[in-house]
Amino acid sequence: MVLRCTTVSLILLPIATYFVHSYNLGASYAQARDVRALEGHETALPLYQDILSRNPNDCTAASLIAGNEHTPKLQDKACGCSSIDDVRRIRSLQKVLLESDFTRKGVAELFGVESEKSFVAGPIYVKPVVAGTSCPEPLSTSDSPLKCLVKMFLLGFCERRAVLNSVFGDIQIVDLLLELGLAFPCTSRSIGSKELIVPYVQIFPMDAPVQVEQRNGYIRHDQDPEHLFFATDFHPSVLSSTTVGTNNDGAVMYIGPDSLALVQHMPQLSPAAGRPTRVLDLCCGSGIQAITALAVLSSIDSVAEATCVDINGRALRFTEFNSILNGLSERVTLQIGDLSQVMIDGNNHLLRKLKERSNTFDILLSNPPFLPVPAFDESNEVVVSIARRYGFFSDGGSNGELILQSILKSCSSLMNDHSIIGIVSEFMNPGVALCDKIEQWWNQQTSLLVTAKGILFTNEYPISGKEYAARRAANDAEAAEWMNHLTQLQIELISPGLLFIRTERTAHDAIHATKRLQIEHLKVPKTADGSIWTPYNKNALIFTCDALKNLNQ
C-alpha cells in the first residue's frame, strides 16, 4: 500500500510541477505584456528575457522582439527603400512571394479554407500569435517556401536560418530579408537561438478585388487576379505596443476588417471617364487603399496616380515600400500632413500642398482613426493606460470624429464634378442626427460650392455604449472610464460603417439648393454572417454594392 502511494506520488509530482510551471509562466507573460504596453520596451525587456530563459522553446516574434535590447534600432530599419539597391531588392522580394504562391488562393489552400471564406480579398482569418504560443502542427515542419512565409509573416513565428536556406535554395532569402529590414537574427542567449530569424513586420497577400457579382450563392472571383502585397507592423496584440523604434513612432496599422471592408468596394468606386484618374488617400497607413485603387483601375486607366497622406513618417515609408513591392511607385506620391489642423485652419499648409499637386481629385479614400479615446490626463492613471493602448492609427479624438470631420470639411474643396469619396469608420449614434451632422461638416467649406449625395451604411443593430466600453477596455477600471467618457459625450450607440459620397457639380457662385450634400442612411440587415465589416459577410457586401449602383447613376 505504501509502495502504491509512493508510485502515485512519483507520477503526480511531475504533473503538478508542470501545471505550476505553466501557470507561473502564463502569469509572467501577462505581466510582461502589461508592462510593455504601459511602460515601454526598456522596462519590459528584463521580464521578457527572464521568460525566454525559462521557456527557451518560445519561438514567437512577439517574445523575441520584446526580449531584444536592440529592437527599437532594428524597427527603425524596417522597409528601407532609400537606394537603388533597395528598389532592386524589393522587386526581388515580389518575385519570391509570387513564385512561392504567397497569395490569397495559395494561403487559403494551405489552410483548407472553404470557398465561403476564400472569396475575401486576403487571408484575414490568419491571426498573428501572441507571445508564448506554440507553432501549430501543420506548420511545424517548414517544407515549402509558402509554409515558411506564412509561418513568419502572417502568424509571427521565427524560422531557422538553415531551414530557410534549404527551402529557398539559391535565392539567399535570409540576406534579402535582413537587407530590407523585414527580419533579423535572434539575440536570445537560448541554445540554438542564434540560428533563428525573427520577422519584424507582417506581410499581407491580397488580390485586387473585382466587381461584385453573385453566382449560385457565391461571389465571383477573377480567374487571373492581380496579386498585391502589403508590409505593415504587427498587430498590437503581438507588439504589446502601439509605438515602435527609437523615436516611438506610431506603428503602421495592420490589415484589419475595416481596411478590407473599403477595399472590397473599390470596383464600385468608378471615377468619371475621359481623364486620368487622381486618387487621394488620407490617413494612408500602409497605402493599401490607394495602391489597391490603382490596381483596380489598371485595366481602364493605366496612368492613374495617387497621393498618399499621413501624419506618420513611418507610415509613408511603408507606403513607398509597398508601392515599389506592387510595381506602382512611379504613380504614387507621398505627403506628410496633419488632418486635425484642418479644423483649426481651413486653408492650412496640407490643403495648399494637395491643391498644388492636383487641383482636384476623382477618388478620395480614407480609413481614419475613429476611436473616441478619452482626452489625455496625466493625473488619471486609468486614462493614461487607455491612451497608451491606442496610437496614431486608432485615436480619433475624444468623440471619435476629429479626423472624420476634418476630411469632410476639406472634401468639397478638393473634389471635382462626379468625384467619389469612400470612408470606413466607426460611427457614433448612427441615425438622422448623424446624417445632418455630416451634411453640416461638408457645407462648412464655402470656397468652392459642391453639390453631392451620399449613403451612410451602418449595422441594423448598433452596439450599446456599455458593450463598446467592455470591448475597448483591458480591465474593469478601464471599462468604467470608457463608460463614463461615452456617457459624458452622450454616445449611446456605436456601429462600424461605410460612408460613400458622389459629387454632382461644382460652381463658384451661389447654389440655389438649400442642401449641398444629402446623405441617406441605410441599415445593413443583420444576418448570421456578422456585421458590415465581417470579411465573410457576402450578404452585407451584396447589399452595399447594390445600393452603390444607385449612387453611381
Side-chain angles (χ1 to χ4, degrees):
M1 189 69 177
V2 173
L3 178 61
R4 184 178 300 171
C5 288
T6 303
T7 304
V8 171
S9 299
L10 289 172
I11 295 172
L12 290 179
L13 184 59
I15 296 175
T17 302
Y18 168 79
F19 281 113
V20 169
H21 173 74
S22 298
Y23 174 80
N24 289 338
L25 202 55
S28 296
Y29 276 115
Q31 179 193 16
R33 281 194 294 268
D34 278 343
V35 170
R36 183 170 168 80
L38 301 178
E39 300 181 42
H41 177 76
E42 291 298 326
T43 307
L45 179 63
L47 299 178
Y48 278 97
Q49 290 176 336
D50 175 66
I51 288 171
L52 290 168
S53 69
R54 290 186 286 141
N55 186 20
N57 294 322
D58 184 345
C59 63
T60 60
S63 292
L64 293 168
I65 289 173
N68 185 348
E69 62 182 308
H70 302 296
T71 281
K73 291 181 179 179
L74 297 178
Q75 289 173 327
D76 286 346
K77 297 179 180 180
C79 294
C81 49
S82 58
S83 69
I84 295 176
D85 286 340
D86 287 334
V87 172
R88 175 183 54 77
R89 294 182 187 110
I90 295 168
R91 289 173 178 163
S92 296
L93 175 65
Q94 181 195 38
K95 182 179 179 182
V96 170
L97 298 176
L98 289 170
E99 290 179 348
S100 302
D101 201 19
F102 186 63
T103 61
R104 176 198 62 81
K105 184 178 179 182
V107 175
E109 290 177 350
L110 177 65
F111 284 93
V113 173
E114 63 271 24
S115 58
E116 287 294 292
K117 288 187 177 181
S118 67
F119 84 80
V120 182
I124 196 72
Y125 48 83
V126 182
K127 306 296 184 185
V129 300
V130 298
T133 306
S134 299
C135 187
E137 186 61 34
L139 291 174
S140 59
T141 303
S142 302
D143 53 8
S144 73
L146 176 59
K147 280 188 178 182
C148 288
L149 292 170
V150 168
K151 183 177 177 181
M152 293 180 70
F153 295 107
L154 281 180
L155 287 170
F157 285 105
C158 307
E159 187 54 276
R160 294 192 177 280
R161 182 189 294 266
V163 171
L164 291 171
N165 288 336
S166 173
V167 168
F168 284 90
D170 296 332
I171 294 176
Q172 303 297 318
I173 187 67
V174 173
D175 290 342
L176 183 62
L177 297 177
L178 269 58
E179 288 165 347
L180 290 175
L182 306 179
F184 295 99
C186 177
T187 61
S188 171
R189 295 183 176 86
S190 303
I191 296 175
S193 63
K194 296 286 187 183
E195 290 299 310
L196 288 177
I197 303 300
V198 185
Y200 268 64
V201 302
Q202 190 165 23
I203 301 177
F204 189 86
M206 199 183 84
D207 283 355
V210 297
Q211 197 78 22
V212 171
E213 179 182 329
Q214 193 176 18
R215 292 183 179 178
N216 301 320
Y218 297 97
I219 291 180
R220 180 176 69 87
H221 241 303
D222 198 336
Q223 295 301 309
D224 188 23
E226 184 165 358
H227 303 304
L228 303 174
F229 307 97
F230 295 95
T232 70
D233 282 310
F234 274 112
H235 192 284
S237 66
V238 175
L239 296 177
S240 297
S241 176
T242 57
T243 60
V244 294
T246 54
N247 295 319
N248 287 320
D249 298 322
V252 179
M253 182 178 169
Y254 57 93
I255 307 301
D258 47 346
S259 305
L260 291 188
L262 186 53
V263 158
Q264 293 190 146
H265 290 83
M266 210 69 75
Q268 275 64 43
L269 308 185
S270 56
R275 59 175 178 250
T277 306
R278 291 155 296 187
V279 179
L280 176 61
D281 185 357
L282 298 177
C283 309
C284 65
S286 64
I288 180 173
Q289 305 300 338
I291 291 170
T292 302
L294 294 182
V296 170
L297 289 166
S298 60
S299 62
I300 60 172
D301 187 355
S302 60
V303 294
E305 296 181 347
T307 300
C308 297
V309 179
D310 207 287
I311 190 175
N312 184 3
R314 182 180 179 86
L316 293 178
R317 187 171 85 239
F318 274 57
T319 295
E320 183 178 10
F321 180 96
N322 290 329
S323 69
I324 300 169
L325 184 59
N326 292 292
L328 293 166
S329 58
E330 294 181 358
R331 293 195 277 141
V332 174
T333 302
L334 309 175
Q335 177 64 56
I336 196 161
D338 183 357
L339 281 165
S340 66
Q341 292 303 306
V342 175
M343 296 300 300
I344 301 171
D345 176 11
N347 189 33
N348 75 347
H349 175 74
L350 174 59
L351 290 184
R352 291 196 300 272
K353 279 289 186 183
L354 292 176
K355 289 176 182 178
E356 287 172 6
R357 292 186 184 281
S358 176
N359 188 42
T360 55
F361 294 88
D362 303 289
I363 298 176
L364 186 153
L365 305 167
S366 185
N367 182 4
F370 49 68
L371 267 62
V373 177
F376 186 78
D377 179 2
E378 62 181 9
S379 66
N380 186 329
E381 291 185 2
V382 179
V383 170
V384 171
S385 172
I386 292 173
R388 287 178 176 166
R389 294 185 192 278
Y390 296 102
F392 273 139
F393 62 71
S394 56
D395 187 348
S398 63
N399 64 0
E401 296 174 343
L402 176 63
I403 307 302
L404 176 64
Q405 183 177 356
S406 296
I407 291 170
L408 292 171
K409 182 180 177 181
S410 59
C411 270
S412 60
S413 67
L414 294 171
M415 313 311 289
N416 56 38
D417 293 354
H418 307 295
S419 295
I420 186 75
I421 297 163
I423 299 173
V424 58
S425 181
E426 286 182 344
F427 293 93
M428 311 298 141
N429 295 330
V432 174
L434 177 59
C435 291
D436 289 343
K437 188 189 295 186
I438 290 171
E439 291 170 358
Q440 290 168 9
W441 292 338
W442 178 275
N443 294 337
Q444 285 176 4
Q445 177 58 256
T446 58
S447 61
L448 183 65
L449 303 177
V450 180
T451 58
K453 59 182 180 179
I455 302 175
L456 171 64
F457 294 102
T458 61
N459 281 337
E460 182 179 9
Y461 300 106
I463 65 171
S464 68
K466 183 177 181 180
E467 183 177 352
Y468 187 84
R471 290 185 183 184
R472 292 300 180 193
N475 50 55
D476 291 344
E478 287 191 9
E481 187 64 44
W482 271 105
M483 193 64 230
N484 178 60
H485 176 65
L486 297 176
T487 301
Q488 287 181 352
L489 293 175
Q490 297 182 319
I491 297 175
E492 299 177 353
L493 298 172
I494 302 97
S495 174
L498 294 157
L499 173 64
F500 297 99
I501 298 173
R502 170 75 71 177
T503 63
E504 295 178 325
R505 62 192 179 94
T506 61
H508 290 277
D509 52 7
I511 291 179
H512 297 298
T514 56
K515 278 193 170 184
R516 290 192 277 117
L517 170 63
Q518 292 182 300
I519 295 290
E520 179 184 11
H521 181 207
L522 294 182
K523 299 178 180 180
V524 178
K526 179 179 175 60
T527 69
D529 293 329
S531 88
I532 185 174
W533 284 359
T534 304
Y536 327 119
N537 191 348
K538 65 179 182 181
N539 293 311
L541 184 59
I542 291 169
F543 178 89
T544 52
C545 289
D546 283 346
L548 282 176
K549 292 176 183 176
N550 297 326
L551 185 65
N552 289 332
Q553 291 176 353

